[in-house]
Amino acid sequence: MADQETVSERFSNEDATPARKRPRPGERRLQILQTLSSMLEQPGAERVTTASLAAKIGVSEAALYRHFASKAQMFEGLIDFVDQSVIGLIRQVTDREPAGPVQASRIVALLLQFAEKNPGMSRVMIGDALVLEHERLQERINLLFDKIEAQLRQSLKTSDSPTPTADAQVAASLLVAFMQGRLQRFARSGFKRLPSEHLQAALTKML
């Protein structure tokens, strides 16, 4: 499997060129997203405000709104990263592993490892960072988990059935609930209880 990309790697900012005082077009937008992500990674972090975000970057709130129409748009940028990463990881597994319990187990493991490598994104994935934000953000996260569950149903579908069996549907639902529980524990423990803790043993018992 290819190395998983972190938010920092995706959202590289102008720190790579410290001699230039004015960022190139698009660099400030990436810096805003990277900084928002890093603020979400702080254990016990309160709700991120545009004021605190602007202060962290060292610009005015007005400067933020020159790149994003709203804070909701900033979070949508992070959700885009999560969505693209999750779909990419699932594709890696389905391209290499035949359908079956091993494929489903591998998908769950990779997605939890992705969240472990990107702590701030676990708060986005469980909706913790979206509290009091626009409801469409939570709807997008709900849709993402619906897509994950749909793939797990296909992974667990028996070869002699054109559609997932009731057992496959129940197992897929259980795996998604397990993932969400692991992510919640990770975020609410201050990122100390890792999602990968005893992961293979837990997956073996479920599958």
Side-chain angles (χ1 to χ4, degrees):
M1 294 294 177
D3 290 340
Q4 296 181 27
E5 186 178 33
T6 65
V7 177
S8 295
E9 290 165 345
R10 172 72 65 87
F11 299 138
S12 58
N13 60 29
E14 68 259 28
D15 289 345
T17 54
R20 186 174 60 253
K21 293 183 179 180
R22 293 181 63 82
R24 293 179 302 199
E27 276 191 342
R28 182 68 78 192
R29 180 182 176 89
L30 295 176
Q31 184 191 28
I32 292 169
L33 292 176
Q34 184 184 30
T35 304
L36 174 58
S37 172
S38 68
M39 291 177 74
L40 293 175
E41 292 180 4
Q42 302 307 309
E46 298 179 355
R47 181 179 179 227
V48 177
T49 64
T50 52
S52 61
L53 178 59
K56 184 76 170 178
I57 299 173
V59 299
S60 66
E61 287 185 73
L64 298 181
Y65 291 116
R66 284 199 290 270
H67 302 278
F68 293 93
S70 64
K71 187 166 67 165
Q73 265 195 9
M74 301 175 200
F75 275 107
E76 283 185 316
L78 297 185
I79 293 173
D80 285 341
F81 170 75
V82 172
D83 192 272
Q84 293 166 15
S85 298
V86 165
I87 298 305
L89 291 171
I90 288 175
R91 188 177 298 116
Q92 284 184 32
V93 177
T94 56
D95 285 349
R96 294 170 170 80
E97 192 74 47
V102 173
Q103 184 186 95
S105 175
R106 187 61 176 155
I107 287 172
V108 172
L110 275 185
L111 298 189
L112 288 178
Q113 288 164 11
F114 163 76
E116 188 172 306
K117 195 171 184 179
N118 295 280
M121 295 302 94
S122 66
R123 293 190 60 203
V124 173
M125 293 173 76
I126 63 173
D128 179 49
L130 307 178
V131 175
L132 303 180
E133 304 298 342
H134 198 288
E135 62 182 16
R136 76 171 180 271
L137 300 175
Q138 185 60 57
E139 290 170 358
R140 285 197 59 187
I141 291 298
N142 293 344
L143 179 60
L144 174 62
F145 277 103
D146 286 345
K147 288 190 287 187
I148 294 171
E149 185 170 341
Q151 176 56 55
L152 291 173
R153 286 197 298 269
Q154 290 299 315
S155 296
L156 295 168
K157 183 182 70 173
T158 57
S159 58
D160 58 351
S161 175
T163 58
T165 63
D167 285 346
Q169 294 179 39
V170 170
S173 177
L174 176 62
L175 287 172
V176 168
F178 170 76
M179 287 177 57
Q180 292 172 323
R182 282 291 176 109
L183 294 177
Q184 288 178 344
R185 187 181 70 174
F186 181 45
R188 292 170 187 176
S189 69
F191 308 123
K192 295 177 182 177
R193 296 293 300 276
L194 300 181
S196 59
E197 182 179 281
H198 307 305
L199 181 56
Q200 289 307 317
L203 290 172
T204 298
K205 285 185 176 294
M206 287 186 286
L207 295 172

